[in-house]
């Protein structure tokens, strides 16, 4: 108790100091507000556009934000974006979601790194522990809240996260970064970049992490893991004409995880397992601009994964090609057309706890899209209409439309509205999973439920209405607000052949049944609504405050033809309310102090509270050794010795994330 009081006092004093003391006028390490609003983003319409003139709920996390937050992983960096819910289940598993949907696979989000999707086609969503990228080379992270299926296609449902890494020309010379602490013991990065002539620049890197000491009931340590990766990037350009980028990376992962198993009826056990494997990719991008200013882009990548999750071994081989061309037309029209193809071959090796039937298969997605941006009144009123048609291996083709209107009556005001659609394509698990589940709604079952995929599964569909505005109140202050209403059709659930009552379980036992089938269906609809508000205030040239609040409320219902006593919904958790406050302050020319407070409301499932709300406070102090070098002390989750952030799932039990104190060094030539 005394330790907790001391931690609370330390957090309060540091935060008060960062908020309340005056500072000399000087440049922040990060961008000023006016420069931040001029940042160009590419994730909304696949071409560059100023953040302040983007007709979507977009937030940009810059390299300076990542550095000053003390984040040691990509999911931790995403905490800074308004309206995004990030929770750590254990040392190597995160849940990341937006606008009313979250689970450990993040299956309502499309996540990309430099435009390369990292969506996993076996379990659906993102396996975050496989994406422990070198954060020092991230230029920015573009976070879109809301659907973007008309631009990016399948699985861009609740939002899009696009990680943009720095050009090789911006990472010349050497970089060494290392940190270690109580929660995430060791992290080290080495990078070197150089040029050959005026047109070719390159860099290569090594990155190593040993992370994860979250705890859980019955286990002293959960989720300790070790990952290493090496990669290279080559950029070649011809001025005002062509630009070619080639990237490659290979990564290895080892992790100790706890998994849920049901060895016999009326029993459950938490078993320790070893996860690990390797992954790698090769990607090439070519951009050509002709004399008229029209631009063509070609992207090709191949991605390989050979992993054991601790539950089951799996392999994925993905080939993707995407081509687009933009054309400037008369009367203010800019036309963007393109298409693409992706093929993913998946393979698994089953066991008595989990298997897939069939064990391997190839899934493909082909698409064509068109988008027209019409400057009805140049720099004042812009209408963007677009749509994408996709064809899938087992599911019906889908059309994902979008209409976005942007009105900027003054230089400091912008209003936007959008109507759009998106789909989430079934994964291999939705089609082929076989998993005997011995527990439902917290109660052990005398006969296991055999969770089974179905080849009749169809995409989950979304129709969304959004609106928002951005006001630059004065030179140093900006306000942004967005609101949404999402209507989901055909959400996945599982259906049993009869009601799950004690009498029916008894009848199944008397007949000698060892399991009861629960088959994948598109069984429910849902509506989510809410919004986000964020404020950015540069108090002085060296002191910046940011605050945000978001809310998401959800109602769901079964489709009329289904009996509720035979339906098991796919579990999604979400906080109805979230808020954050961040303060960044430069103390003179050498010291930087950053403080963050995050408040997450109670996690809800089907309208009921499943986990109490929580508050987290982080503080970071850095002593600059140069423009891009420094040593720092970072404290995270200071208000609590440990606390749970998410609910366990069918495969992994949840742990409690502990208080963390770490020290680090960053030296860049």
């Amino acid at each position: 108790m005394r330790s907790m009081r001391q931690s609370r006092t330390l957090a309060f004093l540091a935060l008060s100091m960062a908020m309340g003391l005056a500072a000399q006028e000087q440049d922040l390490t990060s961008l000023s507000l006016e420069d931040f609003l001029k940042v160009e983003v590419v994730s909304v319409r696949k071409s560059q556009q100023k953040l302040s003139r983007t007709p979507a709920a977009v937030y940009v996390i810059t390299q300076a934000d990542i550095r000053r937050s003390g984040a040691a992983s990509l999911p931790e960096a995403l905490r800074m974006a308004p309206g995004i819910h990030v929770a750590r289940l254990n040392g190597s598993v995160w849940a990341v979601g937006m606008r009313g949907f979250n689970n450990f696979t993040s299956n309502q989000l499309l996540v990309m790194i430099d435009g390369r999707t990292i969506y996993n086609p076996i379990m659906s969503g993102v396996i975050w522990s496989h994406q422990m990228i070198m954060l020092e080379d991230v230029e920015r992270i573009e976070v879109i809240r809301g659907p973007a299926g008309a631009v990016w296609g399948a699985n861009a449902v609740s939002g899009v996260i696009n990680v943009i890494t720095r050009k090789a020309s911006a990472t010349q010379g050497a970089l060494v970064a290392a940190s270690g602490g109580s929660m995430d013991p060791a992290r080290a990065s080495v990078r070197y970049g150089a040029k050959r002539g005026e047109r070719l620049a390159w860099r290569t890197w090594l990155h190593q992490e040993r992370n994860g000491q979250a705890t859980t009931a019955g286990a002293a340590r959960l989720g300790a893991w070790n990952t290493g990766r090496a990669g290279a990037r080559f950029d070649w350009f011809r001025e005002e004409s062509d630009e070619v980028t080639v990237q490659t990376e290979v990564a290895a992962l080892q992790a100790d995880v706890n998994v849920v198993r049901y060895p016999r009826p009326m029993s459950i056990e938490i078993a320790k397992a070893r996860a690990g494997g390797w992954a790698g990719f090769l990607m090439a991008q070519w951009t050509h601009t002709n004399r008229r200013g029209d631009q063509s882009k070609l992207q090709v990548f191949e991605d390989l994964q050979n992993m054991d999750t601790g539950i089951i071994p799996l392999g994925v081989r993905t080939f993707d090609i995407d081509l687009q061309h933009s054309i400037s037309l008369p009367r203010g029209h800019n036309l963007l057309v393109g298409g693409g193809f992706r093929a993913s071959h998946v393979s698994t090796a089953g066991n008595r706890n989990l298997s897939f039937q069939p064990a391997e298969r190839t899934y493909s997605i082909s698409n064509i899209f068109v988008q027209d941006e019409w400057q009805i009144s140049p720099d004042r009123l812009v209408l963007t209409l677009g749509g994408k048609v996709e064809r899938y291996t087992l599911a019906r083709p889908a059309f994902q439309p979008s209409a976005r209107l942007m009105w900027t009556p003054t230089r400091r005001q912008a209003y936007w509205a959008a109507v759009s659609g998106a789909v989430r394509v079934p994964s291999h698990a939705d089609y082929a999973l076989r998993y005997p589940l011995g527990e439902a709604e917290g109660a052990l079952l005398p006969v296991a439920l055999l969770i089974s995929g179905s080849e009749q599964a169809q995409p989950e569909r979304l129709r969304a209405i959004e609106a928002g505005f951005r006001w630059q109140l004065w030179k140093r202050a900006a306000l942004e607000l967005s609101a949404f209403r999402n209507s989901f059709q055909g959400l996945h659930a599982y259906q049993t052949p009869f009601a799950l009552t004690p009498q029916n379980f008894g009848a199944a036992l008397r007949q000698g049944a060892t399991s009861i089938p629960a088959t994948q269906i598109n069984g429910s609809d849902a509506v989510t609504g809410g919004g986000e508000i964020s404020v950015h205030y540069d108090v002085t040239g060296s002191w910046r405050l940011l605050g945000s609040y978001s809310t998401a409320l959800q109602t769901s219902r079964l489709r009329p033809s289904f009996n509720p006593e035979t339906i098991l919904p796919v579990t999604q958790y979400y906080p109805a309310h979230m808020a954050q406050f961040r303060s960044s302050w430069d103390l003179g020319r050498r010291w930087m102090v950053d403080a963050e407070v995050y408040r997450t409301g109670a996690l809800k499932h089907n309208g009921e509270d499943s986990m109490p709300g929580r508050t987290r406070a982080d503080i970071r102090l850095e002593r600059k050794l140069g423009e891009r070098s420094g040593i720092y002390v970072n404290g995270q989750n200071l208000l609590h010795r440990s606390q749970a952030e998410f609910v366990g799932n069918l495969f992994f039990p949840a742990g409690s994330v502990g208080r963390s104190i770490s020290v680090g060094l960053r030296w860049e030539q």
Side-chain angles (χ1 to χ4, degrees):
M1 183 66 69
R2 181 181 179 185
S3 175
M4 182 178 294
R5 287 198 299 268
Q6 290 174 341
S7 298
R8 290 178 184 269
T9 302
L10 175 63
F12 177 78
L13 289 176
L15 181 60
S16 299
M17 179 180 65
M19 293 172 54
L21 295 180
Q24 298 177 356
E25 290 286 339
Q26 57 185 350
D27 291 334
L28 282 169
T29 300
S30 53
L31 298 174
S32 68
L33 174 58
E34 287 194 310
D35 290 337
F36 178 74
L37 293 174
K38 294 176 183 177
V39 169
E40 292 188 333
V41 297
V42 298
S43 300
V44 176
R45 64 176 191 179
K46 278 195 172 182
S47 58
Q48 292 185 339
Q49 188 175 35
K50 286 185 179 179
L51 176 62
S52 60
R53 295 296 184 263
T54 303
V58 183
Y59 188 82
V60 176
I61 301 170
T62 66
Q63 168 58 216
D65 292 332
I66 296 171
R67 175 180 173 179
R68 301 191 68 145
S69 72
S73 65
L74 177 57
E76 296 296 325
L78 294 174
R79 292 184 190 271
M80 291 182 283
I84 187 167
H85 177 223
V86 178
R88 193 171 186 175
L89 276 77
N90 55 51
S92 59
V93 180
W94 282 263
V96 180
M98 298 182 196
R99 293 188 167 182
F101 283 87
N102 198 6
N103 59 30
F104 86 104
T105 61
S106 306
N107 64 1
Q108 296 283 348
L109 290 178
L110 180 66
V111 184
M112 299 175 290
I113 301 177
D114 290 325
R116 174 180 60 90
T117 178
I118 56 175
Y119 198 91
N120 186 281
I122 293 184
M123 300 301 293
S124 184
V126 178
I127 302 177
W128 292 100
S129 61
H130 296 179
Q131 309 301 330
M132 295 295 103
I133 62 176
M134 184 173 166
L135 293 178
E136 288 80 5
D137 283 345
V138 173
E139 178 182 298
R140 66 185 187 276
I141 304 173
E142 299 178 3
V143 179
I144 303 174
R145 303 184 302 274
V151 174
W152 295 107
N155 309 317
V157 181
S158 293
V160 172
I161 297 170
N162 194 7
V163 181
I164 312 293
T165 61
R166 301 166 72 185
K167 292 181 179 294
S169 58
T171 54
Q172 298 296 286
L175 175 141
V176 177
S179 64
S182 55
M183 176 65 187
D184 295 323
R187 182 175 182 270
S189 303
V190 178
R191 180 248 291 154
Y192 182 77
K195 290 184 178 181
R196 186 178 180 87
E198 295 297 322
R199 294 184 177 182
L200 177 65
W202 59 273
R203 70 166 176 264
T204 185
W205 64 85
L206 295 171
H207 179 67
Q208 180 78 24
E209 292 189 37
R210 296 176 58 88
N211 284 44
Q213 296 189 37
T215 60
T216 188
R221 183 171 294 182
L222 174 64
W225 60 292
N226 182 5
T227 182
R229 58 188 61 230
R233 170 170 175 155
F234 301 86
D235 290 342
W236 177 89
F237 72 95
R238 184 165 55 191
E239 190 173 355
E240 299 180 355
S241 177
D242 294 279
E243 183 175 348
V244 176
T245 296
V246 177
Q247 297 186 63
T248 186
E249 185 177 73
V250 63
L253 170 69
Q254 291 182 339
D256 295 320
V257 297
N258 283 3
V259 298
V260 179
R261 291 177 181 168
Y262 304 93
R264 56 190 175 277
M266 296 297 293
S267 66
I268 182 174
E269 69 177 20
I270 306 299
K272 293 187 179 296
R274 172 59 65 93
W278 64 271
F281 76 89
L282 175 64
M283 180 171 70
Q285 298 166 312
W286 171 54
T287 301
H288 172 72
T289 305
N290 64 23
R291 294 180 179 179
R292 294 181 59 247
D294 299 337
Q295 192 174 81
S296 299
K297 294 183 179 181
L298 174 66
Q299 174 180 285
V300 181
F301 73 81
E302 186 165 18
D303 188 291
L304 301 174
Q305 299 180 41
N306 188 357
M307 292 285 180
D308 188 335
T309 62
I311 306 171
I312 191 172
L314 57 86
V316 180
R317 182 171 185 171
T318 299
F319 173 80
D320 184 284
I321 182 169
D322 185 83
L323 176 65
Q324 68 179 57
H325 182 65
S326 63
I327 310 169
S328 296
L329 299 176
R331 300 183 180 180
H333 291 270
N334 189 293
L335 187 66
L336 180 67
V337 296
F341 175 79
R342 180 185 308 146
S344 297
H345 180 78
V346 303
S347 60
T348 63
N351 53 53
R352 68 182 183 89
N353 294 296
L354 186 148
S355 63
F356 293 84
Q357 297 179 9
E360 61 179 282
R361 174 177 275 162
T362 298
Y363 297 95
S364 65
I365 300 176
S366 55
N367 71 81
I368 57 173
F369 73 92
V370 61
Q371 177 179 277
D372 179 36
E373 182 182 85
W374 180 21
Q375 298 275 347
I376 301 174
S377 176
D379 297 327
R380 287 296 181 93
L381 188 63
V382 181
L383 175 64
T384 304
L385 300 174
K388 174 170 283 194
V389 177
E390 290 189 318
R391 184 178 180 85
Y392 315 113
T393 298
L394 294 179
R396 293 189 296 268
F399 174 57
Q400 300 174 76
S402 176
R404 296 183 178 272
L405 184 66
M406 187 76 174
W407 179 46
T408 53
T410 69
R411 185 172 60 87
R412 293 189 174 184
Q413 291 179 310
Y415 302 84
W416 62 271
V419 179
S420 52
V423 300
R424 185 186 79 83
V425 179
S427 66
H428 189 53
D430 295 318
Y431 290 127
L433 179 67
R434 301 293 185 270
Y435 182 60
L437 179 66
E439 180 185 29
E441 301 296 332
L444 293 175
L445 304 176
V447 179
L449 295 176
L450 182 60
I451 302 297
S452 301
S454 170
E455 295 197 356
Q456 303 303 313
Q458 292 296 317
E460 298 174 334
R461 297 176 182 271
L462 167 68
R463 292 293 180 266
I465 301 174
E466 305 172 86
F469 65 79
R470 298 182 185 91
W471 289 351
Q472 188 175 353
L473 303 176
W474 58 89
K475 185 177 181 179
R476 295 183 179 273
L479 170 68
E480 181 174 354
L481 185 145
S482 59
F484 67 92
R485 184 184 187 275
N486 292 341
S487 178
F488 293 87
Q489 295 86 39
L491 294 177
H492 288 174
Y494 294 95
Q495 184 180 35
T496 58
F498 48 77
L500 300 179
T501 63
Q503 294 80 4
N504 288 337
F505 274 118
L509 281 171
R510 288 191 295 272
Q511 295 172 10
T514 58
S515 64
I516 298 171
T519 306
Q520 177 85 268
I521 59 170
N522 294 84
S524 65
D525 300 331
V527 174
T528 62
E532 304 94 14
I533 184 170
S534 59
V535 179
H536 184 140
Y537 179 35
D538 290 352
V539 182
T540 68
S542 59
W543 182 22
R544 181 181 64 172
L545 301 178
L546 299 99
S548 70
Y549 168 78
S550 62
T551 180
L553 303 176
Q554 182 187 116
T555 59
S556 59
R557 63 186 182 278
L558 288 179
R559 294 192 159 185
S561 59
F562 296 113
N563 178 359
E565 295 184 348
T566 66
I567 300 298
L568 296 174
V570 175
T571 305
Q572 298 274 1
Y573 297 96
Y574 63 96
H577 307 281
M578 292 189 297
Q580 63 170 278
F581 179 82
R582 294 161 47 207
S583 171
S584 296
W585 183 33
D586 287 0
L587 297 171
R589 299 182 62 85
R590 293 295 183 185
W591 292 92
M592 299 189 299
V593 178
D594 295 88
E596 298 94 23
V597 176
Y598 302 92
R599 174 62 186 174
T600 303
L603 292 188
K604 294 183 177 294
H605 171 57
N606 290 339
E608 301 293 331
D609 289 355
S610 297
M611 175 178 284
R614 56 186 171 84
T615 302
R616 166 175 168 153
D618 300 345
I619 297 174
R620 184 177 186 273
L621 177 65
E622 179 173 347
R623 170 66 161 85
K624 296 175 67 175
L625 303 177
E627 185 63 29
R628 295 178 291 181
S629 304
I631 56 175
Y632 61 86
V633 178
N634 186 40
Q636 294 180 321
N637 199 28
L638 295 177
L639 300 182
H640 305 277
R641 183 175 181 180
S642 67
Q643 63 177 342
E645 295 189 347
F646 207 69
V647 180
N649 54 64
L650 296 178
F651 307 110
F652 299 105
S656 296
V657 179
R659 181 184 299 131
S660 172
I661 304 295
S662 61
V663 296
L665 164 71
R666 170 178 172 146
W667 175 82
E668 189 168 1
Q669 189 178 34

